[in-house]
Structures are given as C-alpha cells and as structure tokens.
Amino acid sequence: MQAAPLWDPTICQFVGLLKVTDFIDILRHFRLTNLNVASLATRSIAEMFQDETIANAVGIQFGFWSVDSTTTLKQACKLLLSTHSMEFLPIVMPEDMRVLACITYTNILEHLVTHFREQRRLFDDAIYDLKIGTYHDRIAKVSPHQSLAEALALMHAHNLSALPVVDGNDKLLGVYSRSDITFLTQASDAEDAVANLDLRLQDVLNQQRADVTTPDAMHTCSTAHTLQSIFEYFAQLRFNRLFVLDDQERMVG
C-alpha cells in the first residue's frame, strides 16, 4: 500500500492522504535536524503534522480531494492533473464515507489501452521524435556511490518519484524509487532506519535484489518505440516510468 486516507474521528471526516513518501521525508527531516527520532514511537500523526517544522519539511497538504462512483473518467483526469499534484485519487461512497479504492494515472491508462486497443493507431511516431519525456542533460541521475539520503534529497527537490542509478558511462545499473521501503524493512527501530539513510545506493540495490517482494522498478525502452507501444507497455506492467536506452545501452531519457 502506497497511501492511506487520514480519518479525523473528532469531525468524522477524511482530512488528508498519508503516503509512504511522507514518512520517508519525516525520517529525512529528523536526520537533518538531529531530532530525537525515538519520539516518533509516541507521537500521533496529528501531533507530528501540527509541528510546523515537520509539516513544512514534508510538504504535506491537508485537504481530502476525492470522487464518487458517478464521476466520469474525464473529471477524474482533470482532478489528478490539477494544481494539487495528486498521485492518488480516492473513490468514496458518499452514503457512509467508505473508501472503495484509490486510482492512479496507471489505472486510467490501463483502462484506456484495454478499451481502445482495436481502434485505429494514432500514435505510430517514436517517442524520441515526438520529444515526449525527459532527455539528455535534463535527466536527474545518481551514481551507485552516492548515499540514499542524497538521492532522496534530489528527488524531493525536483519532485521526482524515482532516480536512475548509472555508472560513469551512463549505463543503467538500477533504479531507486522514492516509495521503496526496503531500507526500512532492514531496520530494527526508528534510529536504525534513520542511520540506513547513509547507505550507499549500491548497497540499497543489492538489498532490492535479495528481497523477492520488492517489485522490479527498472523497465526500459528504446528511442524507436512508438507512443502506442509505450501506452501498451505501461498498461501491461502497471507502471508509470520507462528509461530510454540508445543503441549502446546508454541511458538517454
């Protein structure tokens, strides 16, 4: 589970959405400020986010934007693409405020590909020629010798969900996703989790390979792939990022 709705029992309403990345950002904040991380065990979610320094560091936004089962796909897309920078859109039953599901861009894309697969292909041009995506000098990337804390700081600063890990020749070695909690599962307590932020990315990638429950985040395509094939690939993998490789297997996008 990547996100969970926050329920306020005092007003009987959902007030926000807590993501895995929010918790990781809290750990980053405690590491940077040398706060007593053991206090996390005794403080409630409400108490933590009432602390302005934590709320500002994490960038959490209170407010529960949701839809019900009568909402159209077009309306849902507009809300996901709104200024709220939403990654998840909860579907709520208005009668009793039950959350039926949280949909993402990947869910919508999977639906579109499934229902429009047999239609005339309008997207036969290569993604590289269409300049869809991020390429060359605009790519944020890290080396396997950098720390997990450095990677997380870079992703937070640029609002990225993942970073490619490359060698000196831009060969793709692996991918670190901001929602990957492998380093947390290896920790014995909160202090250990904060200490694990100093791990080298190479060590983190090795942990991922040893943990069979960690989904593979490294999916690639070539510069020649068409937009239609990319849509189908996303829907098949239920994934939202691909790394573009050139003929020499170097990452270019």
Side-chain angles (χ1 to χ4, degrees):
M1 181 182 292
Q2 297 293 324
L6 290 176
W7 175 264
D8 189 335
T10 61
I11 59 175
C12 294
Q13 287 183 3
F14 289 110
V15 295
L17 200 65
L18 184 67
K19 305 184 293 295
V20 169
T21 52
D22 294 328
F23 181 67
I24 293 174
D25 284 337
I26 290 172
L27 293 179
R28 289 181 53 249
H29 173 67
F30 273 75
R31 176 182 177 274
L32 290 171
T33 55
N34 292 317
L35 292 173
N36 179 18
V37 71
S39 66
L40 288 176
T42 59
R43 300 175 72 181
S44 68
I45 294 174
E47 289 172 338
M48 281 192 292
F49 290 121
Q50 285 169 359
D51 185 329
E52 289 188 5
T53 59
I54 294 178
N56 292 335
V58 175
I60 191 165
Q61 297 178 347
F62 283 98
F64 189 72
W65 292 274
S66 63
V67 296
D68 61 34
S69 57
T70 64
T71 303
T72 66
L73 194 60
K74 182 178 180 180
Q75 291 170 329
C77 289
K78 282 186 175 180
L79 192 52
L80 277 169
L81 294 170
S82 70
T83 56
H84 306 306
S85 299
M86 298 175 68
E87 300 175 51
F88 305 90
L89 183 59
I91 302 175
V92 175
M93 289 287 288
E95 297 84 3
D96 54 12
M97 293 302 291
R98 281 183 298 148
V99 177
L100 298 178
C102 284
I103 63 171
T104 65
Y105 298 105
T106 306
N107 299 133
I108 292 175
L109 184 58
E110 182 181 23
H111 173 82
L112 292 175
V113 169
T114 300
H115 288 81
F116 294 96
R117 186 184 301 275
E118 303 305 323
Q119 299 295 325
R120 184 170 64 90
R121 296 192 174 219
L122 302 176
F123 309 113
D124 289 334
D125 291 331
I127 53 167
Y128 190 76
D129 296 334
L130 293 170
K131 295 181 171 55
I132 294 177
T134 304
Y135 295 93
H136 304 300
D137 294 339
R138 297 178 59 201
I139 304 171
K141 52 194 173 184
V142 287
S143 80
H145 305 296
Q146 289 181 260
S147 70
L148 177 56
E150 289 176 307
L152 288 169
L154 185 60
M155 284 188 279
H156 183 78
H158 296 281
N159 194 28
L160 300 172
S161 60
L163 277 176
V165 183
V166 299
D167 65 13
N169 297 315
D170 279 340
K171 294 292 182 69
L172 187 62
L173 303 176
V175 178
Y176 183 76
S177 171
R178 194 164 170 230
S179 60
D180 180 12
I181 59 171
T182 306
F183 78 97
L184 292 178
T185 64
Q186 304 294 323
S188 57
D189 52 32
E191 291 182 357
D192 199 23
V194 171
N196 281 351
L197 292 174
D198 291 320
L199 287 171
R200 292 186 316 141
L201 286 172
Q202 183 62 66
D203 298 326
V204 176
L205 294 179
N206 290 339
Q207 287 180 357
Q208 289 177 353
R209 297 184 185 108
D211 183 4
V212 295
T213 64
T214 302
D216 186 7
M218 192 170 75
H219 300 289
T220 63
C221 66
S222 74
T223 55
H225 271 80
T226 65
L227 184 58
Q228 178 70 31
S229 66
I230 295 300
F231 278 174
E232 293 177 355
Y233 202 14
F234 279 151
Q236 176 188 355
L237 296 172
R238 298 181 63 84
F239 222 65
N240 60 2
R241 78 182 70 89
L242 289 171
F243 296 94
V244 186
L245 307 182
D246 66 10
D247 295 337
Q248 283 75 46
E249 298 292 315
R250 295 173 302 191
M251 200 189 73
V252 296

